[in-house]
Amino acid sequence: MRLANKVAVVTGAGSGFGAGIAARFAAEGARIVAADLNDKAGQGVVARIEKAGGKAVYVHADVTDAADVKAMIGTALKRFDRLDVLVNNAGYSHRNQSLIEVSEEDFDRTYAVNVKAIYLSTREAVPVFRKQGGGCIINTSSTAALRPRPGLVWYNGSKGAVNTITHAMALELAPDKIRVNAICPVISATGMLETFMGKPDTPENRAAFVATVPLGRMSTPEDIANAALYLASDEAEFLTGVCLPVDGGRTA
């Protein structure tokens, strides 16, 4: 197993990419702290992991709240005695619309979930990693950071910040043997699909987006989980500061 004896915290683990990552990591031997705001969804992910023979615990966490994030990292230490991998996966976006029509509330929430949350979780995890002699951080970014779309200006900017933060963190934390990478997924049929499209989820509207992906389909949680598994594994021990597109050639 590629993550045997490792402990991973996954935010936004109740659905979409986070649920896929949590399940894949658990199947490869990791013990999982699944964090989410949706208790029913998060607990469901943990139940499915345990039913499959894995080990996981759910924690309710608002990733923009310092106390919740502290408790989230603390749960890994209390339940599993260590922390090896932190996956900053929770994400938020304003609806696809004119940049001047996005509300201040949506703007603030986009940057709080996509950017501030990384600051808060890093502040809690890095001292643990330093004490243990190393660790791994994976940030979920987006192709929006590499090839921005009109209508998602402020979301694009938040993910651009994720990529810059990832590069800078990788450089600063390298002496501590803490690797920091990001994954940049193309659009996926997750709960945020209509938000990104800014229009109803119809076969015709999906087809228009799929037409921009050379490999001819959207990404899936399994695609993102497989990439995260590699970055979290010891096979990637010499990779840091990478922002990896998982996009079917969209940004090539």
Side-chain angles (χ1 to χ4, degrees):
M1 291 189 173
R2 296 163 74 182
L3 299 182
N5 302 316
K6 293 185 184 293
V7 175
V9 168
V10 182
T11 69
S15 62
F17 297 150
I21 291 168
R24 188 77 172 95
F25 280 20
E28 290 290 339
R31 292 164 289 173
I32 307 298
V33 176
D36 206 279
L37 277 174
N38 187 324
D39 295 339
K40 183 177 180 180
Q43 290 165 355
V45 167
V46 168
R48 289 192 294 275
I49 288 173
E50 292 178 335
K51 185 176 181 180
K55 294 182 178 179
V57 60
Y58 171 72
V59 58
H60 178 95
D62 177 348
V63 294
T64 71
D65 182 86
D68 276 11
V69 172
K70 185 178 183 68
M72 177 183 76
I73 299 301
T75 297
L77 300 178
K78 290 175 184 177
R79 292 296 298 270
F80 302 123
D81 298 320
R82 61 182 296 109
L83 174 65
D84 300 282
V85 183
L86 168 65
V87 183
N88 289 308
N89 170 76
Y92 182 83
S93 178
H94 57 83
R95 187 172 178 80
N96 189 319
Q97 60 186 309
S98 166
L99 77 171
I100 62 172
E101 294 176 358
V102 175
S103 70
E104 185 175 357
E105 180 182 6
D106 264 353
F107 176 90
D108 288 344
R109 186 65 178 168
T110 297
Y111 274 79
V113 175
N114 296 349
V115 182
K116 182 182 178 182
I118 296 177
Y119 156 73
L120 293 175
S121 64
T122 298
R123 191 172 63 172
E124 297 299 328
V126 164
V128 177
F129 288 150
R130 282 176 170 159
K131 185 176 180 179
Q132 292 178 175
C136 171
I137 299 173
I138 300 172
N139 299 319
T140 298
S141 182
S142 171
T143 53
L146 305 173
R147 184 170 292 182
R149 290 180 181 271
L152 292 170
V153 168
W154 311 118
Y155 173 79
N156 296 338
S158 73
K159 292 303 187 178
V162 172
N163 282 15
T164 298
I165 287 168
T166 297
H167 290 308
M169 287 173 62
L171 291 172
E172 182 164 333
L173 297 176
D176 298 304
K177 305 301 180 186
I178 301 171
R179 299 187 298 107
V180 188
N181 295 294
I183 297 172
C184 301
V186 75
I187 195 169
S188 178
T190 61
M192 294 178 67
L193 180 59
E194 286 195 356
T195 298
F196 289 134
M197 293 196 299
K199 57 187 72 173
D201 179 13
T202 65
E204 294 77 16
N205 289 335
R206 283 197 183 200
F209 276 81
V210 168
T212 69
V213 181
L215 285 183
R217 67 171 175 84
M218 297 182 182
S219 69
T220 68
E222 291 74 21
D223 293 324
I224 309 311
N226 287 335
L229 172 61
Y230 172 64
L231 292 175
S233 74
D234 292 340
E235 297 163 24
E237 67 176 356
F238 201 55
L239 286 185
T240 196
V242 171
C243 295
L244 176 66
V246 184
D247 65 354
R250 161 72 182 158
T251 60

